[in-house]
Amino acid sequence: MPMAPVVDAAYLKSIDKARRDLRALIAEKNCAPIMLRLAWHDAGTYDAATKTGGANGSIRNEEELNHSANNGLKIALAFCEPIKAKYPNITYADLYQLAGVVAVEVTGGPTIDFVPGRKDSLASPREGRLPDAKKGSQHLRDIFYRMGLSDKDIVALSGAHTLGRAHPERSGFDGAWTEQPLKFDNSYFRELLKGESEGLLLLPTDKCLVEDPSFRPYVELYAKDEDAFFKDYAESHKKLSELGFRDPTSLPSGSGCDVSTSTVLVQGAVGVVVAAAVVIFGYLYEAKRKSK
């Protein structure tokens, strides 16, 4: 069974270098949409009840790669292979999620906190855990609630359709959701509120976001406030990218606490204690000196 990587200085250095190489690759190949899709489809198989699936690199297994929802992702896997060969200490699981984070950032989207340390898996989940674009709101809830995600996560993550287009040989659908499919912004939500637009794609899983009374307020918010969308998207993407790695339900709600944050908080607390000690000792020294 594959072991979790040791996230030491050497591993973090490889992650940093791989991030730079991914930026260059995505810029050269204009492949941000398919790299984001790769990350999502690897992570989106998670089942919170059974603790199976998730962001574990299993999408590279032939069995899972042949699932119909993953049509075309061999291209993204091939793009990742030279980077994996260059930095063999990085797990596939980390590499695929890092690729998704970089894909969003280089196309103008929000910065997404990335915590490395995912372990690879050789076990693939059964087919049928990913969203079906031909279905509606209840289906989306069934899929995303199974992962431990919320209505807000569903709508925020759907906003990534601002990138890319559907290909008939992969999904049976054809076309882009927005006028600029290589730019990450809030235009997906603005297009949703317009309704049908000539030349743009609108799938059943898109339409239900404006038809469902719980989803629609988020659509309206994100359409008028890109900063709100970016903030919520970054949080939801982080949660998705850590499914099966760092369970979001294991942290206090709204804590936003992670390894790096905890480290900073501890360091800050130590700093306050040290500063207070210096002040106290200085006061005592000065009082003692004056009493002589």
Side-chain angles (χ1 to χ4, degrees):
M1 180 180 292
M3 301 292 290
V6 177
V7 183
D8 54 13
Y11 195 89
L12 293 175
K13 187 174 183 180
S14 290
I15 287 287
D16 188 52
K17 290 183 175 180
R19 185 191 289 268
R20 283 179 283 177
D21 287 357
L22 283 166
R23 286 194 191 110
L25 171 71
I26 292 170
E28 178 190 356
K29 303 287 187 181
N30 277 336
C31 62
I34 200 169
M35 299 299 256
L36 181 57
R37 182 170 167 242
L38 172 66
W40 274 41
H41 283 217
D42 191 46
T45 60
Y46 187 63
D47 185 319
T50 62
K51 308 295 184 186
T52 57
N56 58 21
S58 66
I59 198 167
R60 75 194 190 283
N61 300 335
E62 197 67 24
E63 174 193 353
E64 187 173 344
L65 190 58
N66 286 331
H67 292 175
S68 60
N70 294 329
N71 288 340
L73 285 178
K74 286 184 179 179
I75 297 169
L77 292 178
F79 284 152
C80 289
E81 277 304 315
I83 297 177
K84 170 63 176 169
K86 190 173 179 181
Y87 309 106
N89 60 327
I90 296 178
T91 62
Y92 280 105
D94 272 348
L95 179 59
Y96 297 160
Q97 294 311 314
L98 183 62
V101 164
V102 173
V104 171
E105 292 175 357
V106 300
T107 50
T111 299
I112 300 163
D113 183 35
F114 180 80
V115 179
R118 297 161 187 79
K119 68 178 180 179
D120 289 333
S121 175
L122 299 175
S124 289
R126 59 178 172 77
E127 189 166 7
R129 290 193 180 185
L130 294 171
D132 183 340
K134 299 185 290 295
K135 298 185 178 180
S137 57
Q138 186 55 54
H139 168 71
L140 286 180
R141 287 193 172 95
D142 289 343
I143 294 292
F144 283 86
Y145 285 9
R146 187 205 68 225
M147 299 183 219
L149 301 178
S150 67
D151 282 0
K152 183 170 78 168
D153 294 321
I154 292 172
V155 182
L157 290 169
S158 295
H161 279 152
T162 187
L163 289 183
R165 58 181 297 117
H167 300 265
E169 70 276 12
R170 299 175 189 172
S171 65
F173 298 103
D174 188 20
W177 287 266
T178 65
E179 297 286 355
Q180 294 180 288
L182 290 175
K183 180 181 179 182
F184 196 102
D185 58 17
N186 68 338
S187 59
Y188 170 75
F189 298 108
R190 289 187 271 111
E191 293 295 344
L192 279 184
L193 293 177
K194 290 180 187 176
E196 300 278 353
S197 294
E198 185 177 356
L200 295 181
L201 196 61
L202 193 61
L203 302 174
T205 45
D206 302 316
K207 292 177 184 178
C208 75
L209 298 181
V210 291
E211 294 168 352
D212 187 283
S214 295
F215 290 156
R216 186 180 177 100
Y218 293 112
V219 174
E220 293 175 345
L221 171 64
Y222 299 153
K224 69 180 181 182
D225 189 342
E226 188 174 76
D227 289 340
F229 167 49
F230 275 24
K231 176 182 178 295
D232 288 352
Y233 178 84
E235 292 174 357
S236 296
H237 185 131
K238 176 178 168 60
K239 282 197 282 187
L240 178 71
S241 74
E242 295 179 351
L243 294 176
F245 165 49
R246 300 172 70 237
D247 186 355
T249 61
S250 67
L251 295 174
S253 177
S255 69
C257 183
D258 59 33
V259 174
S260 56
T261 303
S262 299
T263 302
V264 170
L265 289 173
V266 170
Q267 290 174 341
V270 171
V272 170
V273 171
V274 171
V278 169
V279 171
I280 292 168
F281 283 128
Y283 173 80
L284 292 174
Y285 172 80
E286 188 65 20
K288 184 177 181 180
R289 187 179 65 82
K290 288 181 177 178
S291 66
K292 288 183 178 179

